[in-house]
Amino acid sequence: MERVPVLKIGDILLVSIQIDMEDQVALQLQEDLADRIVATGCHGVIIDISALDIVDSFVGRTLATIASVSRVLDAETVVVGMRPAVAITLVELGLSLPGIRTALNVELGIELLARSRQDELTELDFDEDEPDAAAVSTS
Amino acid sequence: MERVPVLKIGDILLVSIQIDMEDQVALQLQEDLADRIVATGCHGVIIDISALDIVDSFVGRTLATIASVSRVLDAETVVVGMRPAVAITLVELGLSLPGIRTALNVELGIELLARSRQDELTELDFDEDEPDAAAVSTS
């Protein structure tokens, strides 16, 4: 069976979709990706769809599921490389890929992930500081 | 026609081969890759073949041609992700991929490229220093 490889680059998992997303391939990819997120502790997933001529509702749903599964495992997903024609067809089909972040290419996707991770960490720092501040004011 | 996407990540072009390497696909990939090397000025090419069950003599030749073209354009090629079974079959077929560097996965490939680029630059520095050293010794 054909299988979409998941490549690890630093803190990011990269998937380049080039083959037809049949049921089995999509399920296998979801499983592989979830396994790799847990095994590597990566916080970002980039899915490149620049090879796809067509993104139908099934592929759209697959991407959404992958993004949701990743989110539950504390990894953010960015879909990159969408062709202009694909974007137009998607919207004409009434599919706007809700819940999926996009970027023009892999490099911008990596930047987006790094920035959003940074924001998240900053928020965490802020949350942790809160009790201290409260403790100081009551003392 | 199917086309293998070329992804740019920093100073490296990444190609993940997942579809059958027919003549047209292979030629198109060579052309795309050469164009991208020139357009981006990248010095490294990583070709991931972890999705391939079989690497026959045609694929082997294609990889060798890509490596040679890249070298002429001042970019080094590393083939990564070869499955153990593929390596065994290759050698049994009498193909040892001469002139092609390999690494186990994308990350090790990136490291290899960075190191060999560093060595190259150090050599260049050394060559440039030579005349100065000579000038000092004669003064």
Side-chain angles (χ1 to χ4, degrees), chain B residues 39-105:
Chain B
T40 60
C42 284
H43 289 295
V45 174
I46 292 185
I47 302 181
D48 176 75
I49 59 167
S50 59
L52 297 186
D53 285 323
I54 302 163
V55 172
D56 57 14
S57 62
F58 178 71
V59 175
R61 224 165 31 241
T62 304
L63 293 176
T65 311
I66 287 175
S68 302
V69 172
S70 303
R71 199 173 300 123
V72 177
L73 295 171
D74 191 25
E76 199 172 348
T77 306
V78 180
V79 171
V80 307
M82 189 185 293
R83 299 190 190 179
V86 168
I88 293 168
T89 319
L90 265 181
V91 173
E92 280 175 357
L93 286 173
L95 303 168
S96 57
L97 303 185
I100 298 179
R101 304 185 74 172
T102 54
L104 281 186
N105 57 43

Side-chain angles (χ1 to χ4, degrees), chain A:
Chain A
M1 200 195 64
E2 283 184 316
R3 208 167 171 149
V4 181
V6 178
L7 308 174
K8 180 173 180 291
I9 301 174
D11 191 31
I12 283 168
L13 296 176
L14 176 69
V15 178
S16 164
I17 297 181
Q18 298 168 29
I19 56 177
D20 284 340
M21 268 293 160
E22 288 154 23
D23 291 27
Q24 273 307 311
V25 177
L27 280 178
Q28 185 69 50
L29 175 59
Q30 282 171 28
E31 214 176 295
D32 286 350
L33 207 45
D35 284 348
R36 286 296 293 275
I37 292 173
V38 172
T40 61
C42 283
H43 289 295
V45 175
I46 293 185
I47 301 181
D48 176 75
I49 58 168
S50 59
L52 297 186
D53 285 324
I54 302 163
V55 172
D56 57 15
S57 63
F58 177 70
V59 175
R61 220 162 39 237
T62 303
L63 293 176
T65 310
I66 287 174
S68 301
V69 171
S70 303
R71 199 173 300 122
V72 177
L73 295 170
D74 191 24
E76 199 171 348
T77 306
V78 180
V79 171
V80 307
M82 189 184 294
R83 299 189 189 178
V86 169
I88 293 168
T89 318
L90 265 181
V91 173
E92 279 175 357
L93 286 172
L95 303 168
S96 56
L97 303 185
I100 298 179
R101 302 185 75 171
T102 54
L104 282 185
N105 56 43
V106 176
E107 285 192 310
L108 294 174
I110 292 175
E111 260 176 46
L112 181 65
L113 285 175
R115 234 183 5 246
S116 96
R117 186 80 196 151
Q118 202 52 50
D119 289 351
E120 232 170 79
L121 293 179
T122 316
E123 268 173 41
L124 274 182
D125 282 351
F126 184 72
D127 289 350
E128 277 165 14
D129 285 353
E130 283 288 275
D132 282 347
V136 169
S137 66
T138 52
S139 66

Side-chain angles (χ1 to χ4, degrees), chain B residues 7-22:
Chain B
L7 307 175
K8 179 174 181 292
I9 300 173
D11 191 31
I12 283 168
L13 296 176
L14 176 69
V15 177
S16 164
I17 297 182
Q18 298 168 28
I19 56 178
D20 282 340
M21 269 290 161
E22 287 154 24

